[in-house]
Amino acid sequence: MFRKVVRQSKFRHVFGQPVKNDQCYEDIRVSRVTWDSTFCAVNPKFLAVIVEASGGGAFLVLPLSKTGRIDKAYPTVCGHTGPVLDIDWCPHNDEVIASGSEDCTVMVWQIPENGLVSPLTEPVVVLEGHTKRVGIITWHPTARNVLLSAGCDNVVLIWNVGTAEELYRLDSLHPDLIYNVSWNRNGSLFCTTCKDKSLRIIDPRRGTLVTEREKAHEGARPMRAIFLADGKVFTTGFSRMSERQLALWDPENFGEPMALQELDSSNGALLPFYDPDTNVVYVCGKGDSSIRYFEITDEPPYIHFLNTFTSKEPQRGMGTMPKRGLEVSKCEIARFYKLHERKCEPIVMTVPRKSDLFQDDLYPDTAGPEAALEAEEWVSGRDANPILISLREAYVPSKQRDLKVNRRNLLSDSWPAAAPGSPRPGASTPAAFTSIAAPGGSLAGAGEAGKLEEVMQELRALRALVKEQGDRICRLEEQLGRVENGDA
């Protein structure tokens, strides 16, 4: 008999659940631009969504608490003259967002603390350097004010937003359209995927190609790559037969993938989202109505399928909340913001746990909002991992229980309350105590005194009876003794 062994994992039972309708963001005209962007960016304060706009490009910035129907007149960020293609919140400042557009510019915006009250048309800084539309925007994970942009001119630019200057221009590494860019954990390298089917790892400060894998996925459709925390690279793409694939690569040995899995034969590009704290990768297909999630481990087969969240509506785009914005008291390990045709719907991923206590194994220290380096330090060659924070302080017990102590003196509660001046129950009564003083000659006092007198009389009668019977027994014993001795 063979028994199927199920791999143990604390994420095996993770389940997704959409929030109630009143917690969704309704009546949002999501952009119809044909570009494989997520169209959505989220942080612990705001939700940003690229929307349809006449005469230029715009995106909506909503405080997370502003759920329900969004008024058509709600102010937008609308400084671009062409459609916005990508947006990204600064990881070190929750009120700063960058946008890339078809007008070939990158703009950085400062959002008011409580959200917009009027249209925002003036960016903090405009970065001009691309000659074609800018489709990819991503902030450096650990250095303050360092921003990467990639355009349809096949050029990657790295900017110092604080001084509005161009730090590095990488214009000879990509012969064709760049599909996506992903920084590694400390921001010393980034990986790119390109229309020429190559996966590249690049050192931006040297401007050199570290390693390259041609035909990482053989299909012609767009592929994506993300760096994992341990330095490996996870990719999504298509096979020669147009089947969607996942692969895991070791940059030290790019010859063959460590793992390769085929999913299905759908058309939508797969957008991967990675959680470095749990090593779980979530894969969302454009136009799909599902989110698949996988755990990445150090032992074969490396990529372990966990589960699939399925809904009825297809997704136009997807945003993901940073770990520090989750509700740790509800064992929430991820939250996605799914874009529909005219709506944004949060989806909560939860690990079922019975305990109300803070779950240390689900929430190791995570990247905080503080930058580990200044832009100048990074340019000079320094690297640093993200500054970690504990999520324990964000933990709030889900049920506030008031402690109720019921102190009960069983001895005193089992007796009626004693009258003033009377001895407590259980205390010894002096032999001389034969009457109770009744103030004002009350009837209750007189009645109790009469009862006590009756008891005392009965005791005296019993004592006399016992003495009398004792004397009688003594006389009978004397007579019995004389009979036995023959004296009687």
Side-chain angles (χ1 to χ4, degrees), residues 41-193:
V42 196
N43 70 14
K45 272 190 167 181
F46 297 108
L47 163 69
V49 180
I50 301 173
V51 293
E52 284 283 294
S54 55
F59 58 94
L60 203 59
V61 175
L62 302 169
L64 287 185
S65 58
K66 187 167 178 58
T67 54
R69 186 178 169 277
I70 307 301
D71 196 327
K72 287 181 180 176
Y74 194 86
T76 58
V77 181
C78 50
H80 286 286
T81 57
V84 177
L85 299 180
D86 198 16
I87 49 178
D88 193 29
W89 287 105
C90 176
H92 309 126
N93 187 334
D94 287 342
E95 293 164 13
V96 171
I97 189 169
S99 58
S101 165
E102 280 191 9
D103 63 11
C104 308
T105 64
V106 175
M107 295 185 180
V108 181
W109 311 84
Q110 176 87 37
I111 306 298
E113 186 178 351
N114 297 317
L116 299 176
V117 291
S118 61
L120 186 59
T121 57
E122 291 297 318
V124 178
V125 63
V126 180
L127 306 173
E128 296 176 320
H130 290 282
T131 57
K132 292 187 179 178
R133 59 182 184 167
V134 182
I136 297 167
I137 296 286
T138 177
W139 291 89
H140 192 284
T142 60
R144 194 189 314 276
N145 292 339
V146 175
L147 178 68
L148 180 150
S149 63
C152 294
D153 50 8
N154 310 336
V155 174
V156 175
L157 293 178
I158 296 174
W159 309 87
N160 182 344
V161 174
T163 59
E165 64 178 324
E166 187 183 294
L167 295 175
Y168 303 103
R169 173 180 283 265
L170 310 174
D171 55 6
S172 60
L173 297 175
H174 298 90
D176 213 330
L177 180 67
I178 302 166
Y179 285 140
N180 93 302
V181 178
S182 171
W183 292 98
N184 69 351
R185 181 81 164 155
N186 64 6
S188 59
L189 304 170
F190 62 81
C191 65
T192 65
T193 55

Side-chain angles (χ1 to χ4, degrees), residues 5 43 58 69 83 118 120 180 200 243 254 267 362 385 407 423 440 444 463 488:
V5 178
N43 70 14
R69 186 178 169 277
S118 61
L120 186 59
N180 93 302
R200 295 175 174 87
E243 290 180 311
F254 251 7
N267 290 329
L362 298 184
N385 285 322
R407 295 189 179 279
R463 192 176 295 157

Side-chain angles (χ1 to χ4, degrees), residues 336-368:
F336 292 95
Y337 287 74
K338 173 182 173 179
L339 298 184
H340 299 245
E341 195 83 18
R342 298 182 67 86
K343 173 174 137 178
C344 177
E345 177 187 40
I347 295 166
V348 175
M349 296 288 180
T350 308
V351 177
R353 292 278 171 98
K354 290 181 180 177
S355 173
D356 282 345
L357 301 176
F358 178 74
Q359 306 293 316
D360 295 273
D361 60 328
L362 298 184
Y363 301 105
D365 290 354
T366 192

Side-chain angles (χ1 to χ4, degrees), residues 165-415:
E165 64 178 324
E166 187 183 294
L167 295 175
Y168 303 103
R169 173 180 283 265
L170 310 174
D171 55 6
S172 60
L173 297 175
H174 298 90
D176 213 330
L177 180 67
I178 302 166
Y179 285 140
N180 93 302
V181 178
S182 171
W183 292 98
N184 69 351
R185 181 81 164 155
N186 64 6
S188 59
L189 304 170
F190 62 81
C191 65
T192 65
T193 55
C194 181
K195 197 172 182 179
D196 67 354
K197 303 180 186 177
S198 286
L199 167 62
R200 295 175 174 87
I201 294 180
I202 295 166
D203 185 331
R205 288 170 293 196
R206 290 197 177 96
T208 57
L209 189 63
V210 177
T211 183
E212 179 180 5
R213 163 68 191 192
E214 295 178 359
K215 293 188 177 179
H217 295 275
E218 296 194 344
R221 294 178 182 276
M223 64 179 189
R224 289 184 163 249
I226 49 172
F227 257 116
L228 305 185
D230 60 1
K232 295 184 177 65
V233 178
F234 180 90
T235 60
T236 63
F238 292 81
S239 70
R240 189 178 294 169
M241 304 300 292
S242 289
E243 290 180 311
R244 297 199 290 193
Q245 294 178 323
L246 312 174
L248 185 66
W249 305 86
D250 183 357
E252 303 293 324
N253 178 19
F254 251 7
E256 289 296 323
M258 296 172 63
L260 181 67
Q261 287 188 17
E262 292 193 346
L263 289 185
D264 53 31
S265 54
S266 186
N267 290 329
L270 291 168
L271 307 176
F273 297 92
Y274 173 61
D275 180 0
D277 302 333
T278 58
N279 259 344
V280 175
V281 174
Y282 302 85
V283 178
C284 317
K286 272 265 181 122
D288 288 7
S289 55
S290 63
I291 303 172
R292 296 178 177 92
Y293 30 109
F294 303 83
E295 188 175 2
I296 311 295
T297 61
D298 294 330
E299 68 274 354
Y302 304 111
I303 302 174
H304 303 272
F305 173 73
L306 291 172
N307 210 335
T308 303
F309 165 79
T310 307
S311 57
K312 294 177 183 176
E313 297 286 327
Q315 53 231 16
R316 296 283 305 281
M318 193 73 75
T320 180
M321 175 67 78
K323 210 63 176 289
R324 57 194 174 88
L326 302 179
E327 290 194 48
V328 296
S329 58
K330 295 181 179 175
C331 294
E332 182 183 0
I333 62 164
R335 190 190 311 155
F336 292 95
Y337 287 74
K338 173 182 173 179
L339 298 184
H340 299 245
E341 195 83 18
R342 298 182 67 86
K343 173 174 137 178
C344 177
E345 177 187 40
I347 295 166
V348 175
M349 296 288 180
T350 308
V351 177
R353 292 278 171 98
K354 290 181 180 177
S355 173
D356 282 345
L357 301 176
F358 178 74
Q359 306 293 316
D360 295 273
D361 60 328
L362 298 184
Y363 301 105
D365 290 354
T366 192
E370 192 59 43
L373 296 171
E374 296 299 326
E376 295 74 19
E377 294 177 295
W378 181 74
V379 170
S380 69
R382 281 190 59 193
D383 291 319
N385 285 322
I387 296 175
L388 304 181
I389 59 169
S390 170
L391 293 176
R392 187 180 286 274
E393 286 71 31
Y395 170 73
V396 179
S398 55
K399 296 174 184 172
Q400 298 286 353
R401 296 190 181 93
D402 294 330
L403 180 64
K404 293 182 180 177
V405 179
N406 185 7
R407 295 189 179 279
R408 194 161 166 257
N409 188 332
L410 297 175
L411 184 64
S412 62
D413 284 2
S414 61
W415 291 75

